[in-house]
Amino acid sequence: MSQIEQVEMEHRLRILRDAMARSNVGITAVAPGDMMRYLAGYASYPDERLCLLLISADKVAVVVPALNAAEWQTHTTLPLYTWADAEGPGAALRAALSSLEVSPLRRLAVDGEMRADFLLHLLEATGNPEVITLAALGAPLRLCKSPSEIALLQAAAAQADRAMQAAIEACQPGVTEAQVAWAAEQAFRMDGADYVCFTLVASGPNSAFPHHRSGQRTLQRGDAVIIDIGASLNHYKSDITRVVYLGEPPLVFLRTYDAVLQANEQARAAVKPGVTAASVDRAARVVLEAAGCAGHFVHRTGHGLGLSVHEPPWIMAGNEQLLEEGMVFSIEPGVYFPGQFGIRIEDIVVVTASGARTLTGFDRRLVVKA
Ligand code: ZN
Ligand code: ZN
C-alpha cells in the first residue's frame, strides 16, 4: 500500500470511528465486498467461508479462511486470525473479538450485505448484543470521492466510452441482442476490465423495459436499441447508456429523444454543491413534463457510483440530501412506451465547486444506422 493510500485508509477509519463513538457502537463488522475493500484496502473472494473485518475504537482484526491468508498478507499488514476448513471459524472469531478488548460489547454495527450465517456466528460469539446496520450509523463513508478515486472513475468512464463504440458498431439488422452485448463485453475484457458488471441491450419493444435482459431477439429495421453497459476497472465501476435507431426514425421518436436529451442536460446543469439531490431529479422531470411524457419516466434520475454500481447518493424526489464536492452519480432520465420503444441517456458526473463535470464522454446524439 502506498503512503497516499495509507493516509486515505486512516482517514476512512477515522470517519467510521467518529460515527461509532456517537452511536455507542463498540465494534463494526464487515464481510467481503465493496465496504471491506474501502476500509481495509483489500477484500477476499466472497464465499461461504466466514471472513470478517472487525473494527473497534482503536483496533482492527480480520478473521480469514486459512487458504486466503497469504493473499491478505500481500495487500495489508492488518492482524489476521485464520481458520482451516476442518476446524471451522469459531475459535478464530473468538480470538479476533477478544483482541479488540471491547467488553462489555453492547452495540454492534454490521455491514448490511453480510450473509445471514456470518451474522449468526457473530451474534453467538458476542453474546447477542444490540445490532444496527452500518448504514444506520450514518458515517459519511464512500459518499464523497477523493481525487484518486475520481481519477479511477474517470478511467472507468473512458473505458465504457470505448466499449459503447464497439457495441454500436455491432448493432445492425440480423444480429441478436446477445451478440451486441457480447461485443461490449469483449471490448471491456480486451481493454483490461476486472470484470463486466452488465451489458443490457434492449431492442424494439424490449427497449420499453427499463431492466430488460439481453436475449435472443434479432434486431430489425425500425428498432430503437437501448445499450446500457458497465464494468469494473481497478475496482471502480462504469455505467453509460446510449440509444441507436436502425433505419429512419419517425418524427415522434426524434421529438421524444430530444426531450430526454434535454432532461439529461438540464439535470447535469442543475448539479452543484449545496443543492438537494431531489432538485436535480426535478430538473430532469420538468423537461419531460413539458414534453408531455412525464408519466413515462418511471424511475429515479440517478444513483451514486464508486466501488459499487449502485450506492448513495440517490438522485430522486424526496431526497433532501445536499450535494457536496466529490460526489459521483449517474444522470439517466428515460421514458418507456410499452409495446413501442424506450429511450434512456445516461452519463456519470462528479460534483465540483463550479458544477457538474461529466466523466462519460460519448456523443449524446441519437445514433442512426441506416
Ligand atoms: Zn446504466
Ligand atoms: Zn445507472
Side-chain angles (χ1 to χ4, degrees):
M1 198 179 290
S2 73
Q3 208 175 349
I4 296 175
E5 285 171 332
Q6 192 65 46
V7 169
E8 206 161 300
M9 286 306 158
E10 282 163 15
H11 176 66
R12 294 170 184 179
L13 283 178
R14 201 156 49 241
I15 290 172
L16 172 64
R17 283 169 167 151
D18 287 349
M20 286 168 66
R22 281 196 299 275
S23 299
N24 294 315
V25 164
I27 295 175
T28 293
V30 181
D34 296 328
M35 189 58 90
M36 181 181 274
R37 183 173 297 284
Y38 188 76
L39 291 171
Y42 177 68
S44 45
Y45 182 75
D47 67 5
E48 73 286 1
R49 294 183 177 91
L50 185 134
C51 177
L52 290 173
L53 170 67
L54 302 168
I55 299 161
S56 68
D58 54 358
K59 294 192 175 66
V60 177
V62 192
V63 183
V64 179
L67 80 164
N68 296 332
E71 198 165 10
W72 267 91
Q73 280 160 345
T74 66
H75 291 95
T76 79
T77 55
L78 298 173
L80 303 183
Y81 293 80
T82 62
W83 60 275
D85 285 343
E87 62 195 18
L93 177 57
R94 283 190 298 275
L97 285 165
S98 72
S99 78
L100 300 177
E101 295 177 326
V102 181
S103 75
L105 174 64
R106 295 208 171 84
R107 284 189 111 186
L108 171 71
V110 299
D111 149 30
E113 292 172 24
M114 182 182 294
R115 291 170 57 115
D117 53 354
F118 288 15
L119 179 60
L120 291 173
H121 271 298
L122 194 54
L123 292 180
E124 193 191 336
T126 51
N128 286 307
E130 186 190 343
V131 181
I132 64 169
T133 64
L134 185 44
L137 261 185
L141 294 166
R142 295 165 60 182
L143 204 49
C144 292
K145 274 62 180 177
S146 69
S148 56
E149 288 184 290
I150 292 167
L152 290 167
L153 286 162
Q154 173 70 81
Q159 181 179 71
D161 284 349
R162 294 189 289 273
M164 180 60 74
Q165 184 62 42
I168 288 173
E169 279 166 16
C171 258
Q172 55 178 317
V175 306
T176 64
E177 292 174 346
Q179 287 168 331
V180 176
W182 179 236
E185 195 155 338
Q186 276 181 305
F188 273 128
R189 294 307 298 246
M190 294 301 283
D191 203 5
D194 310 324
Y195 54 90
V196 180
C197 300
F198 52 91
T199 49
L200 182 158
V201 178
S203 66
N206 290 341
S207 65
F209 304 130
H211 276 162
H212 174 68
R213 241 172 199 284
S214 313
Q216 294 307 318
R217 184 179 181 278
T218 300
L219 274 51
Q220 301 165 16
R221 273 183 65 85
D223 278 355
V225 186
I226 290 183
I227 303 172
D228 184 352
I229 56 176
S232 178
L233 177 62
N234 293 314
H235 310 297
Y236 282 80
K237 306 300 181 285
S238 57
D239 191 0
I240 182 172
T241 308
R242 293 293 185 263
V243 180
V244 176
Y245 200 94
L246 297 178
E248 198 59 49
L251 197 57
V252 60
F253 185 89
L254 290 173
R255 282 208 189 107
T256 312
Y257 189 91
D258 267 349
V260 177
L261 182 54
Q262 268 190 51
N264 169 300
E265 284 169 358
Q266 290 304 313
R268 286 186 295 124
V271 170
K272 60 182 178 191
V275 305
T276 65
S279 70
V280 174
D281 180 81
R282 190 77 210 126
R285 229 160 275 278
V286 291
V287 174
L288 293 169
E289 274 166 14
C293 47
H296 299 270
F297 180 16
V298 292
H299 52 71
R300 64 190 174 206
T301 292
H303 54 83
L305 183 88
L307 288 167
S308 299
V309 178
H310 285 185
E311 60 183 43
W314 311 111
I315 308 303
M316 61 182 187
N319 184 2
E320 297 302 314
Q321 183 165 28
L322 300 181
L323 300 185
E324 293 174 50
E325 272 184 67
M327 285 181 176
V328 174
F329 48 84
S330 69
I331 296 287
E332 49 180 305
V335 292
Y336 309 90
F337 297 86
Q340 299 174 57
F341 63 82
I343 296 168
R344 180 166 69 253
I345 306 171
E346 175 177 29
D347 287 286
I348 302 300
V349 300
V350 52
V351 183
T352 74
S354 57
R357 180 160 74 82
T358 304
L359 299 182
T360 32
F362 203 92
D363 198 322
R364 278 164 213 96
R365 283 172 299 184
L366 177 66
V367 180
V368 177
K369 294 185 83 171

